[in-house]
Amino acid sequence: MLDTDLLESFAKIFPKHIWIFAVNETDTLFYTSDNPLVLDGHEENHGISSKGVEIIFPITPELALVMREVEYLFIFLRNT
């Protein structure tokens, strides 16, 4: 049932991201569904292991997990 190779590949990718919990304080709630991930590639690619990728996972209508690729995030922060 579980694809252990896939889970193992995720386990190697996700430590390369900064994990942030985002609280929605607006009147517009986050949408949650059976496929809620949002991938925003700030570079040319949009995969979960792509440089510059930002992954947004709404957990509830008011709370989301945001994962930002570490290397790109630090470059961005240094330039701001």
Side-chain angles (χ1 to χ4, degrees):
M1 290 231 169
L2 293 176
D3 185 341
T4 55
D5 290 335
L6 181 64
L7 292 175
E8 198 171 300
S9 69
F10 286 164
K12 292 177 183 175
I13 293 169
F14 289 144
K16 298 176 183 175
H17 292 71
I18 297 287
W19 293 40
I20 304 163
F21 285 100
V23 177
N24 181 0
E25 296 178 340
T26 70
D27 293 331
T28 306
L29 300 176
F30 294 138
Y31 285 101
T32 57
S33 69
D34 59 346
N35 189 13
L37 282 185
V38 175
L39 295 159
D40 185 12
H42 295 282
E43 296 285 318
E44 68 281 347
N45 297 316
H46 298 278
I48 64 169
S49 63
S50 298
K51 182 176 179 178
V53 73
E54 184 174 1
I55 304 166
I56 305 166
F57 179 66
I59 299 169
T60 72
E62 295 87 18
L63 184 68
L65 172 62
V66 179
M67 294 172 274
R68 294 181 173 166
E69 188 265 327
V70 172
E71 182 181 338
Y72 184 86
L73 177 63
F74 287 143
I75 291 169
F76 172 78
L77 292 175
R78 222 176 329 178
N79 293 330
T80 58

